[in-house]
Amino acid sequence: MTSTQGFHHIEMNVQNLRKTKGFYEWLLPELGFSLFQEWEKGFSYKIESSYLVFVQTEELYKDIPFHRKRSGLNHLAFWAKSRAQIEHLRVQLKKKNISFLYEDKFPFAGGENHYALFFEDPDRLKIEIVAPR
């Protein structure tokens, strides 16, 4: 039975679809998502009844890049299975030369009871991975 709670899907336009796909195609499966759809100008990953869609921004709209501090989406936060998974992802991100946000406060940048890892995707969208308590 399909859940009717939570979100159905979130769609994001991206500056460089190839770069974005390279970033998310390893991260999302680590977090339990599966490739759901793929077409010339986009792709999506699904978990249970919800999915994330990434679409190439049309040339006409690429002149103003995304910035999470402007009005609109600030960040995406995903559940990790455990603190160990966050440590595993941290190692993988370092190998991919992806820099961290708030590294000096890791793993408690979100507060003393909030074990999380923060970094940015290729469009500078903040990604947060949160461990269960």
Side-chain angles (χ1 to χ4, degrees), residues 6 24 26 29 31 33 36 42 51 53 55 63 66 72 74 76 78 94 105 112-113 133:
Y24 284 102
W26 72 270
L31 298 171
F33 286 75
F36 179 49
Y51 58 101
V53 182
V55 178
D63 60 329
F66 171 83
N74 177 272
L76 293 174
F78 298 94
K94 278 187 182 183
K105 297 177 183 173
E112 65 183 49
N113 295 316
R133 289 187 181 210

Side-chain angles (χ1 to χ4, degrees), residues 62-117:
K62 288 176 82 174
D63 60 329
I64 301 173
F66 171 83
H67 198 289
R68 63 185 165 83
K69 299 270 181 157
R70 291 191 180 116
S71 296
L73 184 66
N74 177 272
H75 72 281
L76 293 174
F78 298 94
W79 283 112
K81 294 175 188 159
S82 64
R83 289 181 177 194
Q85 185 182 27
I86 287 181
E87 295 299 336
H88 167 76
L89 291 171
R90 191 165 186 245
V91 169
Q92 297 307 309
L93 289 162
K94 278 187 182 183
K95 286 180 183 176
K96 294 176 181 293
N97 293 316
I98 295 170
S99 48
F100 302 104
L101 299 172
Y102 327 120
E103 188 169 17
D104 59 324
K105 297 177 183 173
F106 175 78
F108 298 109
E112 65 183 49
N113 295 316
H114 189 78
Y115 195 100
L117 178 64

